[in-house]
Amino acid sequence: MKKLKISALIIALMAMVVAGCSQEEKEAPKVPAVEEIVPGVNDVDTLNQGAEPTEEPEPEVEEEKDPEGMYRSELTNEWIDETLKNQRPIAVMVDNERTALDHFGVNSADIVYEMMNSTENDRISRLMVVMKDWKNVEQLGSIRSTRPTNFMIAAEYNAILIHDGGPFYNDEYYKKSYVNNLSGGFARFINGKNLEFTEYVTAEEYTNTKGKKYDGLNKRIEDAKYSTEYNEFYPGTHFEFAEEENDLSSSTNAKDATYVKMPFYHNSSELKYNKDTNLYEYYEYGKPHIDALTGEVTAFKNAIVYGVSHTKLDANGYLIYNVIGKGDHGYFLTNGKAIPISWIKPEETAITEFYIPETGEKIKLNTGKTYIAIIPDDTWNEVVVSDGSTPSSDANTNTTAANTDTTVTN
């Protein structure tokens, strides 16, 4: 009996030993506590040797795709409908006398030129607006006469020049093979003003409140048998645009430029930089220029101001700018900065190219609309480009006709 009890006890002890061993075999090996890790002996990297390396997947970079059915405008670098790709722009002469205000449709332009229209009348200026998408123009103007200079500037864009008459000095330009123009006969709006301030471009037929009908721009171009697409006189893309935002800060001779005053005494033309929008807002006659169609101030991403000599043609103040040639007076402005530039235009139909004198590189515009002022060389030293802190002390004070209306001979 004693032997049986001893045997049972031995069997029980053996079973406990076997069970303990099995439990130890099932437990995973423990990594020593931090204070017990010996580098190169029992550190985690050493213990994990032989394990398959794990690589984190690289983030996928989506390629930027062009918006379907769109292309970048050669005039602004903005995305526009690709059906416009080969369409010629129009260049429209817009009266800039106080009585002609408010302007209609100017904010739809891609580029706005301002230049002296006469050496008389306190050097009153006129606008020429260049517009790519014109087939749906509602109301643009009021329009007025042109000068010889405008034929040569419009040619840089292969644009159809729209105006109402002009002096006989234009006659030789009407005959130029590169010139397509439409003069007068556009819609007369009943606006309570004298006749010369009532004519506007409309894309479609317009009937005024007196029942008078006028053909629209689309029909006028068709009747004239002008190509609406670029033709053999197209000199190519006018501007180069920066791939990334160009702030000019790193450019040699860059200066702060939040205020610009042009020596167009009658109009008192100014540009004021809006830091919230990063645009230059156009002012004249002492107030912001507002487009009556949109109710918004006329503003530009880029501005080019350059000096050109001129030839006075007669006692009436008619003139021609000597735009064929080159010059060293100029500024390129964008994002509140300005740099000096030079310019060259080899022939009538050639593009005016603007360069950085220090490097010989062409300027690169930022995406958006552009204002271009052609300043008479004899008043170039009166151009003000400043940080805006004390504009009045530098600005020309000849404003004798700024508050009066002047009717310039058509």
Side-chain angles (χ1 to χ4, degrees):
M1 190 65 159
K2 243 181 206 183
K3 287 181 180 180
L4 287 173
K5 288 182 178 179
I6 291 170
S7 298
L9 183 57
I10 291 170
I11 291 168
L13 287 170
M14 289 179 67
M16 291 173 65
V17 170
V18 172
C21 291
S22 299
Q23 184 64 29
E24 286 180 3
E25 289 173 0
K26 291 179 182 178
E27 289 181 1
K30 294 181 180 179
V31 177
V34 173
E35 62 271 13
E36 296 174 349
I37 292 178
V38 181
V41 178
N42 60 358
D43 58 81
V44 174
D45 289 340
T46 302
L47 293 172
N48 288 336
Q49 279 183 358
E52 289 291 329
T54 57
E55 295 184 2
E56 294 186 6
E58 294 184 4
E60 293 184 7
V61 179
E62 292 186 8
E63 290 186 11
E64 185 178 346
K65 296 181 180 179
D66 295 351
E68 187 176 353
M70 308 285 279
Y71 90 104
R72 286 197 178 274
S73 166
E74 62 273 30
L75 301 185
T76 65
N77 202 44
E78 296 171 326
W79 291 107
I80 62 174
D81 196 300
E82 66 181 2
T83 60
L84 298 170
K85 193 167 188 177
N86 294 317
Q87 181 169 291
R88 300 169 67 185
I90 58 172
V92 183
M93 299 304 302
V94 176
D95 195 338
N96 207 24
E97 173 55 75
R98 180 192 293 273
T99 308
L101 301 180
D102 290 332
H103 288 147
F104 286 74
V106 170
N107 285 7
S108 297
D110 301 303
I111 301 163
V112 174
Y113 280 83
E114 183 174 13
M115 63 188 80
M116 178 175 67
N117 186 58
S118 172
T119 59
E120 302 302 305
N121 304 307
D122 232 9
R123 298 199 167 194
I124 188 170
S125 70
R126 191 158 290 179
L127 305 181
M128 184 180 79
V129 303
V130 181
M131 182 184 298
K132 176 78 171 174
D133 187 2
W134 47 263
K135 288 190 175 180
N136 296 301
V137 167
E138 180 181 348
Q139 183 180 356
L140 176 58
S142 60
I143 69 171
R144 202 68 185 274
S145 63
T146 191
R147 299 290 182 266
T149 305
N150 300 102
F151 291 95
M152 293 180 278
I153 299 298
E156 299 190 16
Y157 304 91
N158 195 212
I160 300 171
L161 184 62
I162 311 296
H163 61 104
D164 190 339
F168 71 89
Y169 302 109
N170 293 336
D171 291 351
E172 65 177 285
Y173 290 91
Y174 295 141
K175 301 172 186 176
K176 302 272 186 181
S177 56
Y178 68 80
V179 170
N180 287 160
N181 73 293
L182 296 173
S183 178
F186 288 94
R188 293 286 180 178
F189 283 67
I190 308 303
N191 57 14
K193 299 179 183 180
N194 291 339
L195 187 66
E196 63 265 32
F197 304 115
T198 64
E199 188 175 13
Y200 297 83
V201 174
T202 62
E204 302 299 337
E205 182 185 87
Y206 173 78
T207 303
N208 66 20
T209 53
K210 290 186 176 180
K212 175 70 174 175
K213 290 185 179 181
Y214 300 88
D215 288 338
L217 178 62
N218 294 329
K219 188 174 188 306
R220 293 285 303 275
I221 291 176
E222 181 182 356
D223 290 346
K225 296 181 170 51
Y226 292 153
S227 171
T228 59
E229 296 190 344
Y230 288 125
N231 60 28
E232 67 269 29
F233 298 106
Y234 178 50
T237 303
H238 199 285
F239 298 116
E240 291 185 10
F241 291 91
E243 292 183 6
E244 298 180 359
E245 192 75 0
N246 184 2
D247 65 6
L248 301 181
S249 295
S250 60
S251 300
T252 305
N253 297 328
K255 61 183 290 186
D256 290 336
T258 57
Y259 175 81
V260 185
K261 184 172 181 62
M262 275 65 66
F264 301 133
Y265 310 135
H266 181 83
N267 302 77
S268 301
S269 305
E270 301 169 297
L271 295 175
K272 297 182 181 182
Y273 184 64
N274 185 325
K275 294 180 180 179
D276 294 329
T277 62
N278 292 326
L279 300 176
Y280 286 93
E281 297 178 345
Y282 177 63
Y283 282 64
E284 64 175 346
Y285 301 110
K287 61 182 182 180
H289 181 272
I290 304 296
D291 186 325
L293 278 185
T294 64
E296 297 176 351
V297 64
T298 303
F300 305 91
K301 184 65 176 178
N302 310 286
I304 296 170
V305 181
Y306 71 110
V308 182
S309 64
H310 67 279
T311 301
K312 185 175 178 178
L313 300 175
D314 59 29
N316 295 318
Y318 291 121
L319 71 137
I320 184 169
Y321 278 99
N322 303 314
V323 291
I324 311 302
K326 59 183 179 179
D328 296 324
H329 295 157
Y331 286 105
F332 167 47
L333 304 95
T334 190
N335 289 338
K337 300 285 184 181
I339 58 171
I341 57 173
S342 57
W343 63 270
I344 184 169
K345 180 179 169 70
E347 57 187 12
E348 289 184 7
T349 58
I351 294 168
T352 303
E353 296 180 333
F354 301 97
Y355 292 89
I356 303 170
E358 293 77 19
T359 64
E361 298 175 301
K362 289 183 182 180
I363 63 171
K364 291 190 176 181
L365 275 59
N366 281 317
T367 298
K369 300 176 185 293
T370 300
Y371 167 89
I372 302 176
I374 301 179
I375 307 294
D377 255 354
D378 61 357
T379 56
W380 176 255
N381 62 354
E382 298 174 20
V383 173
V384 176
V385 177
S386 74
D387 62 5
S389 55
T390 55
S392 59
S393 63
D394 298 322
N396 185 277
T397 57
N398 185 356
T399 57
T400 56
N403 296 313
T404 61
D405 292 335
T406 304
T407 301
V408 179
T409 305
N410 210 33

